[in-house]
Amino acid sequence: MEVILKEDVNKLGHRGDVVKVADGYGRNYLLPGKLAIEATLANRAVIEQMKGSAIRKSAKEKAAAETLATSLAHVELTFERKTGENDHLFGSVTSGDIAHQLELQGYTIDRRKISLEDPLKSLGEYHVPIKLHREVTSHIKVTVKAEESETEAAPVA
């Protein structure tokens, strides 16, 4: 099945590209998610007209992403998690957790733009990339610390 991408899709293509995908992927993910439209002759003509406006829109998005990237460069997030032996976390810190913390600080960023290959499962300091635009990537500092247990926090007299 051939589709025309309406949005940038990781490892598939950029907005306006005509790509060939498996039928199920197109019907069950791209089309319902409004990420693509079917590549019919009429849609191809519409897309050609939309490419001009898409270039202008992309330039505005890039400028906004660069502004956001400069403000995100100074952001530091700290997560406190319960740990077991050898400082191994119970649970993990995911891209959803990072997106939620950023939202609390006033930055609205989709969790899919946070490029964590695997959730953070150990204590330490990490530099997490955030892909704000196809040409703009910012990094934030994420620190995962051990949560103080109640016995350590309140010594018995």
Side-chain angles (χ1 to χ4, degrees), residues 3 8 34 49 56-57 65-66 76 108 122 128 147-148:
V3 295
D8 292 350
K34 306 254 189 267
Q49 292 174 352
R56 290 187 298 275
K57 182 179 176 184
E66 287 172 345
E76 294 183 19
T108 305
S122 59
V128 178
E147 186 177 86
E148 291 185 26

Side-chain angles (χ1 to χ4, degrees), residues 1 14 31 39 41 43-45 54 62 74 86 95 97 119-120 123 127 134 147 151:
M1 154 182 255
H14 301 294
L31 296 177
L41 287 175
N43 285 343
R44 286 176 196 255
K62 183 179 178 186
H74 306 292
N86 301 328
S95 58
D97 296 332
L120 307 177
L123 299 179
H127 293 280
R134 70 176 138 201
E147 186 177 86
T151 57

Side-chain angles (χ1 to χ4, degrees), residues 37-57:
I37 56 176
E38 284 192 61
T40 62
L41 287 175
N43 285 343
R44 286 176 196 255
V46 169
I47 288 298
E48 290 303 318
Q49 292 174 352
M50 290 173 59
K51 276 190 179 180
S53 65
I55 291 170
R56 290 187 298 275
K57 182 179 176 184

Side-chain angles (χ1 to χ4, degrees), residues 80-93 119-124 126 144-147:
E80 289 188 2
R81 296 287 193 253
K82 290 185 180 182
T83 57
E85 292 183 25
N86 301 328
D87 291 334
H88 188 73
L89 294 182
F90 291 131
S92 61
V93 177
L120 307 177
K121 294 185 179 184
S122 59
L123 299 179
Y126 302 92
V144 182
K145 295 196 290 189
E147 186 177 86

Side-chain angles (χ1 to χ4, degrees), residues 28-153:
N28 298 323
Y29 178 70
L30 296 175
L31 296 177
K34 306 254 189 267
L35 298 173
I37 56 176
E38 284 192 61
T40 62
L41 287 175
N43 285 343
R44 286 176 196 255
V46 169
I47 288 298
E48 290 303 318
Q49 292 174 352
M50 290 173 59
K51 276 190 179 180
S53 65
I55 291 170
R56 290 187 298 275
K57 182 179 176 184
S58 180
K60 285 181 187 175
E61 287 175 354
K62 183 179 178 186
E66 287 172 345
T67 305
L68 183 58
T70 56
S71 64
L72 279 176
H74 306 292
V75 172
E76 294 183 19
L77 301 179
T78 303
F79 292 92
E80 289 188 2
R81 296 287 193 253
K82 290 185 180 182
T83 57
E85 292 183 25
N86 301 328
D87 291 334
H88 188 73
L89 294 182
F90 291 131
S92 61
V93 177
T94 63
S95 58
D97 296 332
I98 294 170
H100 180 70
Q101 282 282 40
L102 286 171
E103 194 170 314
L104 293 176
Q105 292 189 14
Y107 300 102
T108 305
I109 295 175
D110 187 11
R111 67 175 176 78
R112 292 174 288 200
K113 294 185 180 211
I114 299 171
S115 304
L116 270 183
E117 291 183 19
D118 294 314
L120 307 177
K121 294 185 179 184
S122 59
L123 299 179
E125 202 172 273
Y126 302 92
H127 293 280
V128 178
I130 300 177
K131 192 167 174 76
L132 300 171
H133 186 266
R134 70 176 138 201
E135 298 171 13
V136 180
T137 301
S138 179
H139 289 78
I140 61 170
K141 182 177 166 184
V142 175
T143 306
V144 182
K145 295 196 290 189
E147 186 177 86
E148 291 185 26
S149 64
E150 291 178 21
T151 57
E152 293 173 11

